[in-house]
Amino acid sequence: MSERTEIDCGTGVARTVPLTPEEIAQRTAWGAGRAAERDADAISTTERSAARARVVQVAQGTVGVHLDRLTATQVRALLAVLLWEAGALNGDGTVRSPAQWIRD
Amino acid sequence: MALIASATPTTGTVTFNSIPGVYGALLLLGLGRISPATTGDYVYGQFNNDAGSNYDEWRLVGATGGTAYAQTRARLAEWPGASAPSSAAGSLQMYIPGYATTTLHKTMTMQASARVNTSDLQVRHHAINWRSANAISRIDLTLASGNFVTGTVFYLYGLP
């Protein structure tokens, strides 16, 4: 962490040099902001599997039901499917921040 | 395509310096793993040692997207750490067209994959923008903590 491998592309020579105090401070700042960065990142495959299973479970009850006969609960279940497809759900079924899934 | 340089770092940063401006594009390839006791952590990139808020990101991770603008570095791949499955690795490839031009800002694409958990194989697609018209002559690949571990390799190619 305290050193840097530097390759001079002109000569091909590689050397290990110590990080400057500015570089160390910069990396420390990156580490401090990493939790928020990760939170804003996409959910993991494991979480996606959990969220998908939950959505499938709630939507299963709408199979075979005519549109005119959908209950409020079943409409909510189908909305969950659309939210899932849009990447709007966390692994625990909660809705993610719009900034994390609404495309520019 | 010509190999400009390669690196097998065991430090926390690898720098490709004095990149010749004679090619039409750069292709950066990497395969590696990192030392922190975590399943995975980010590999960041900077150009020309620019730590200003000049990096923009649009990412697609799996099926989910997000954005981050005016960052002080470009977030690239998430590579497996010491808590990931044994010998699991991450990869990245970044294509930088017109890197030696001096009129327009640089925009590029990056794809990465990594296995950070037993049942978690990730794929990432990033659009990266560097708000600078300067020719890219230096690329830093950096971790926020820890080091790249033995077996990590980076290759920088120049394309005509």
Side-chain angles (χ1 to χ4, degrees):
Chain A
M1 175 59 185
S2 59
E3 294 181 323
R4 181 163 56 84
T5 302
E6 182 172 316
I7 298 95
D8 186 313
C9 296
T11 64
V13 173
R15 63 186 184 128
T16 301
V17 296
L19 295 180
T20 65
E22 291 77 15
E23 289 172 328
I24 293 172
Q26 178 179 258
R27 281 148 186 74
T28 301
W30 293 1
R34 195 169 48 223
E37 202 170 46
R38 185 175 296 283
D39 185 52
D41 207 344
I43 57 177
S44 71
T45 302
T46 304
E47 291 171 316
R48 281 197 299 275
S49 298
R52 184 180 184 282
R54 184 171 289 105
V55 168
V56 168
Q57 183 181 16
V58 296
Q60 191 64 39
T62 68
V63 174
V65 179
H66 192 279
L67 274 178
D68 294 340
R69 296 180 181 278
L70 287 172
T71 66
T73 300
Q74 289 169 329
V75 170
R76 194 162 57 237
L78 293 174
L79 174 62
V81 174
L82 298 178
L83 289 171
W84 160 253
E85 291 292 333
L89 297 181
N90 289 310
D92 62 0
T94 56
V95 178
R96 309 178 78 207
S97 167
Q100 297 174 21
W101 57 277
I102 293 181
R103 303 269 157 62
D104 293 330
Chain B
M1 187 164 68
L3 178 64
I4 297 174
S6 63
T8 55
T10 54
T11 56
T13 299
V14 58
T15 301
F16 289 101
N17 209 350
S18 304
I19 299 171
V22 299
Y23 300 100
L26 294 176
L27 178 64
L28 177 66
L29 304 178
L31 177 80
R33 185 179 169 99
I34 61 178
S35 67
T38 176
T39 54
D41 206 349
Y42 300 119
V43 179
Y44 299 99
Q46 283 182 329
F47 303 111
N48 294 6
N49 208 25
D50 177 12
S53 300
N54 296 318
Y55 301 86
D56 305 310
E57 164 191 313
W58 190 100
R59 64 183 179 276
L60 187 61
V61 185
T64 305
T67 57
Y69 295 105
Q71 304 294 298
T72 57
R73 69 283 180 277
R75 184 168 37 155
L76 305 178
E78 180 180 4
W79 276 9
S83 303
S86 177
S87 299
S91 75
L92 69 84
Q93 57 178 358
M94 185 159 61
Y95 178 66
I96 313 173
Y99 75 99
T101 61
T102 57
T103 304
L104 301 176
H105 290 182
K106 307 301 179 292
T107 185
M108 62 209 74
T109 54
M110 192 284 310
Q111 287 85 42
S113 64
R115 181 172 173 242
V116 294
N117 277 309
T118 302
S119 302
D120 192 351
L121 182 61
Q122 287 188 351
V123 61
R124 285 176 172 270
H125 302 275
H126 286 207
I128 297 165
N129 184 66
W130 182 41
R131 303 180 190 183
S132 173
N134 292 330
I136 294 174
S137 60
R138 170 175 168 166
I139 299 174
D140 284 271
L141 302 162
T142 300
L143 307 174
S145 64
N147 296 314
F148 296 105
V149 303
T150 300
T152 297
V153 291
F154 289 101
Y155 302 97
L156 182 65
Y157 291 94
L159 283 73

